[in-house]
Every structure is written in C-alpha cells, then in structure tokens.
Amino acid sequence: MIANGHPLRLVVSREKQDSVIRGLYLVTDGGERLAERVEAAIDGGARVVQYRDKAGDGGRRFAVGQELRELCAKRGVPFIVNDDLELAKALKADGLHLGQEDGDPREARRILGPGGIIGVSTHSLREALAAQAAGADYIGFGAMYPTASKDIEHLPGPQTLAAIREQIAIPVVAIGGISRDNGGAVIDAGADALAVISAVLSAPDPALAAAELSLLFNRRAAPPRGSVLTVAGSDSGGGAGIQADLKTITLLGSYGSSVLTALTAQNTRGVSAIHGVPPEFVAEQLDAVLSDIHVDTVKTGMLFSAGTIAALADKLSEYRRRIVVVDPVMIAKGGAPLIDRHAVEILKERLLPRTYLLTPNIPEAERLTGMTIADEEGMQEAARRLHRLGARNVLVKGGHLLSGDSVDILFDGSAFHRYATPRILSKNTHGTGCTYASAIATFLARGEPLREAISRAKQFITAAIRHGHPLGKGHGPVNHYLAAQEFKDR
C-alpha cells in the first residue's frame, strides 16, 4: 500500500503479547508446606508466583520468601512480592505488586530498576488508567467474585472487566473468587491472567487444580484449540477406536495425536481378530509423542493388556500428564472381550489413581465394582466406589438402562451432577463410548471446565446418534460429521 508516495509499513505492538504476566497467576497463602505446594502448582501450569504474607515477622517472611525465590528461579517462573518494596529489594524479586495505598509505582521502578515488573491492584477504569499512566507493567483488577481471602469492598466483576478491556494496553490480572468453574467467563471478558489462592493451594492436589485452571486459557488460542492424545485400538471398520477418536477431535476443533495399542479386524457386525501391540512399542509411541508435542489431555480407549496399561501409567507419571480421560473399554459392541481379568486389575491398581475422569458404561461399571446396576441409585453407588479406587471424577453412562431418558451421572468426589437427554432408539450406535469420551477430552483441551465439557459432549454424542449412519449389516456407526455440522454454531 502507498500513502503520500511512501509505502505503508504495518507495525504490531507486542508489549502485551510478550509480557510474562499471563496464564495462571498464583498468590501464596500462609499455610504449611508452602514451597512444596507452590512447586506442585508450577508443575501443573502456574506461570507467575506472588508472595503474600502480611502476618509473619520480618525474619520468617524473608526466609520463606528466599525459599520461594530460589524455587521460582530454578523453575523459570517470575517471582513477585506483594506490597513490600524493601522485601522485594532484599529478595532480589522479579517484581512488586502494589495495592492502591501501598506505594508509588514510579518509586518502585526507581528502586527495582528498569527490568522490575510492577503491578497495581485496581477496581475501576479510573484506577486502571492511572496505574497504566504511572508506568505499571500490569494491573490486578477485581474482585471478580466474592472471596474468602479478604473482605470485598469492590466487586466490579467480569462485566466491568469486559467494559474496560479495550482501554487498557497492559496485561490485566483478574482477581477475586476465581475457580475452575467460573474462570472461563473471566478469560472471555478479557483477562490475560487469573490470580488464585485457595482454588489451587487449598486443593488436595495443587498440581491438578493448577492444570485444570491453566487449560481454560486454550479457549482464546488460535485453532486448532488444544491438543488431545488418544491411546486406543484401531477399528478397521472406522466407526470406533482410534479412528472415531481422531474424527471427533478434529471435527470439534482440536489437534489429535495417537498411540495404537492393538489392531482389530472389525466391522459393524463385530470383532473377528485382535493383534495386540507389544507394550514396549506402546511405550516408544508415547515417548515419541510426549517428548515432542504438547499434549493438553490424554484420552484412553482399548488398552488390551496388563503390560500396556502399566506402560501407559508409567509414561503418564514420567511426563506429568494429569488431565486423563479413561474410557475403560472392555467389551466390543458385538460382545467380544477386549481386555482380560489381569488387565482389569492392573487398570484398577495403576491407571485409576492417575485418572482425571473415568467414563464407564453400566456393564463396565459393573465389572469394575462387582455390582449389579439397575437404576440411577445404583449408578451413583458405582460412581462412589470407583472414586474410592482413585479416579478423581467418575461419569457413569446410563445408555444401557432400558427406560426413560438417557441419563449419565457425574460424581466429582463431593456432589452428583445429572446429564439427561431423550433416549434415541437406533441400532447405529457403534463408536458411542469412544466418541463421547473423545469429545469430553476435546472440550477440556479447548478450555471448557469439566462439567461444561461433559454437557457439550453429551449434546454432541446425542446428535451423532440421532444422525447415525446406516452402514454395513450390523451396528452402524454414529455420524461424527453431521453432529459436528449441527454443533459448530453453538
């Protein structure tokens, strides 16, 4: 393009994009084993650590701060001190976060030097613009929601954040009452980072809690959003297994990679032969993918043998993959067994404790628990028992019940959540379980929290069954393509 005889040059400001203030912003509490919990949170995806301790004496605050400073330096995570400029200077912190009455950002800049990161808490557009004009590198803005960590005087919420976002050129850290289930709305409103305390540090597993929150940021990524690894068997008929997984992942807008555990000679009428992949080669495939490609979620299907399950559990631990959706495939649609008794025991001992979400249908839940399930109360009890075996969340699928709606029940360790859709009578249901679990893993990878990911996946699989493809002479496959076409505008 030419203007006034001179070529125009497109200049893109990268100030905000290149800032280290983005993603999960962890604020410390005053609890025990702080360094251990902070390190776990960093493992799970925390990108910034802010040291906040207003109750401790000077010597203790320095000692704890020094331990955290060394930890953050080792892990390559910016270390920010809350409010205390002298402590930040003494600890050689990467930056300082100031409240509205805790000092002047200009003075902090002078003391910490041009490379210091300066943040300011704000509650309105006026305060945010003032902090930006004073040279702050980022602002904290909130509170988004009520919180137990302090009395809330200002509650602008996500709506106000969205309203001011276009007028603020520096990163915005949303603060106050943020959790896995409401954080997505805050990111959608324009937050560059989410500040959390108890949502991570008070969790039984801070690394998993941090991983859940970190995934929410994928909702703003360029397509394909997120990355899903499927570990499953091949269906030569294309309706289930790794073929169904990759169709689902791709059509729902994520990136799919795969590890094969077994080859099946299979069509719509059933499985006629199975050729298991040696566990050593399964491990080689896992190394190849996980050492090179970022994987947000792992989805498992047919694992076939005890050796394969053990190899998978080892690699999940080695590569610290925490968001693992396990579809415990045991019996093919036509009735062929896909896993032996010893493998079931290894699955319970080694894989369930590493499972984020377990998605058994009723026959699978019965085999894993030894129960007989005839109604929703039985589904709830099975979910409780499977949770006690180590799965963090359990979704028992009720498609095999013969009456009423098709109801699935999620148990998250503290409460039950019910997902119901009208039952569709169709013989074209091949690949239902594979597709459903893959859809959940995909929505998680795209940045949806667990309950919303299940809800959306339930809608997707219901559409896929409704559009079931009358292919072959047996149970035809669900229709991934038409379900995705129907779903893309939601």
Side-chain angles (χ1 to χ4, degrees):
M1 297 176 61
I2 305 294
N4 298 323
H6 300 285
L8 289 179
R9 184 164 58 94
L10 178 64
V11 178
V12 179
S13 172
R14 300 191 59 83
E15 179 181 5
K16 189 177 77 170
Q17 294 91 323
D18 288 345
S19 172
V20 297
I21 304 299
R22 62 187 186 276
L24 185 59
Y25 183 113
L26 184 71
V27 182
T28 65
D29 63 12
E32 300 295 322
R33 302 180 295 104
L34 180 59
E36 177 184 330
R37 290 181 291 128
V38 168
E39 184 164 27
I42 293 171
D43 280 343
R47 303 284 295 272
V48 183
V49 172
Q50 179 180 314
Y51 177 41
R52 181 176 184 266
D53 182 359
K54 296 190 175 184
D57 62 75
R60 177 186 174 278
R61 292 176 69 211
F62 181 83
V64 173
Q66 190 171 44
E67 183 179 16
L68 293 176
R69 176 72 180 93
E70 292 172 358
L71 168 63
C72 289
K74 180 178 71 174
R75 302 302 298 272
V77 171
F79 176 69
I80 310 290
V81 168
N82 184 72
D83 290 348
D84 191 328
L85 178 57
E86 291 304 315
L87 181 62
K89 180 181 177 183
L91 289 172
K92 298 181 181 179
D94 297 302
L96 175 71
H97 187 86
L98 297 168
Q100 280 293 302
E101 299 177 359
D102 294 319
D104 185 352
R106 298 176 183 86
E107 176 66 8
R109 175 78 66 205
R110 185 184 71 80
I111 298 296
L112 296 183
I117 303 167
I118 310 299
V120 178
S121 291
T122 65
H123 315 95
S124 67
L125 176 60
R126 178 185 61 80
E127 291 177 353
L129 290 172
Q132 181 173 267
D137 296 295
Y138 71 95
I139 61 166
F141 190 81
M144 295 295 104
Y145 308 101
T147 175
S149 65
K150 61 172 67 175
D151 293 331
I152 298 296
E153 298 179 9
H154 307 278
L155 192 66
Q159 297 84 359
T160 305
L161 171 57
I164 74 165
R165 174 69 270 189
E166 293 304 316
Q167 301 183 63
I168 303 299
I170 57 179
V172 176
V173 180
I175 60 178
I178 295 168
S179 69
R180 175 198 73 183
D181 294 326
N182 63 30
V186 180
I187 294 170
D188 292 343
D192 299 288
L194 300 179
V196 297
I197 305 175
S198 59
V200 170
L201 291 179
S202 295
D205 185 343
L208 179 60
E212 290 181 297
L213 281 155
S214 297
L215 272 187
L216 299 179
F217 289 91
N218 282 354
R219 62 201 297 117
R220 292 228 308 250
R225 291 190 175 93
S227 172
V228 183
L229 168 63
T230 170
V231 183
S234 169
D235 173 4
S236 54
I242 216 150
Q243 288 84 354
D245 294 345
L246 290 173
K247 290 173 188 176
T248 301
I249 295 162
T250 302
L251 286 168
L252 290 179
S254 196
Y255 178 80
S257 53
S258 62
V259 166
L260 277 171
T261 60
L263 307 177
T264 69
Q266 184 175 176
N267 57 26
T268 65
R269 291 178 293 180
V271 178
S272 57
I274 301 174
H275 181 73
V277 174
E280 298 78 12
F281 190 67
V282 172
E284 289 281 355
Q285 294 177 78
L286 288 163
D287 280 331
V289 175
L290 294 172
S291 67
D292 180 49
I293 299 171
H294 177 76
V295 169
D296 291 303
T297 63
V298 177
K299 179 268 175 186
T300 75
M302 175 188 177
L303 297 177
F304 185 62
S305 71
T308 289
I309 294 169
L312 173 62
D314 288 342
K315 293 302 178 183
L316 291 174
S317 175
E318 179 181 345
Y319 290 97
R320 298 176 180 177
R321 295 299 87 197
R322 294 181 173 85
I323 308 298
V324 182
V325 178
V326 173
D327 181 22
V329 177
M330 297 180 182
I331 302 170
K333 184 72 69 178
L338 300 176
I339 188 171
D340 62 29
R341 178 173 297 180
H342 181 49
V344 172
E345 293 306 311
I346 296 299
L347 184 145
K348 291 162 69 173
E349 293 172 9
R350 299 288 309 279
L351 189 55
L352 289 197
R354 298 194 175 279
T355 297
Y356 176 67
L357 176 67
L358 183 69
T359 65
N361 59 31
I362 285 178
E364 291 160 350
E366 289 177 331
R367 185 167 181 187
L368 288 169
T369 63
M371 294 176 54
T372 296
I373 302 171
D375 52 28
E376 289 188 34
E377 289 185 4
M379 293 169 65
Q380 290 184 1
E381 178 57 27
R384 286 192 192 94
R385 295 188 188 188
L386 292 169
H387 181 268
R388 287 197 291 268
L389 289 176
R392 296 306 177 108
N393 305 279
V394 181
L395 181 71
V396 178
K397 300 175 295 187
H400 285 75
L401 295 181
L402 299 178
S403 62
D405 289 341
S406 174
V407 176
D408 305 330
I409 293 178
L410 170 69
F411 182 58
D412 62 10
S414 59
F416 291 98
H417 307 275
R418 188 174 185 270
Y419 301 84
T421 57
R423 186 176 298 276
I424 299 170
L425 299 178
S426 171
K427 74 170 187 174
N428 300 316
T429 56
H430 186 48
T432 300
C434 306
T435 299
Y436 192 5
S438 294
I440 295 170
T442 301
F443 284 121
L444 288 169
R446 285 172 53 93
E448 298 294 345
L450 177 62
R451 295 207 301 267
E452 180 63 20
I454 293 172
S455 178
R456 299 190 74 187
K458 177 75 168 175
Q459 296 171 47
F460 176 76
I461 191 57
T462 300
I465 294 170
R466 187 172 65 251
H467 294 294
H469 194 31
L471 186 73
K473 300 174 183 178
H475 293 282
V478 300
N479 197 320
H480 303 87
Y481 179 78
L482 285 183
Q485 291 295 106
E486 180 178 308
F487 204 83
K488 68 180 180 181
D489 296 326
R490 297 184 186 178

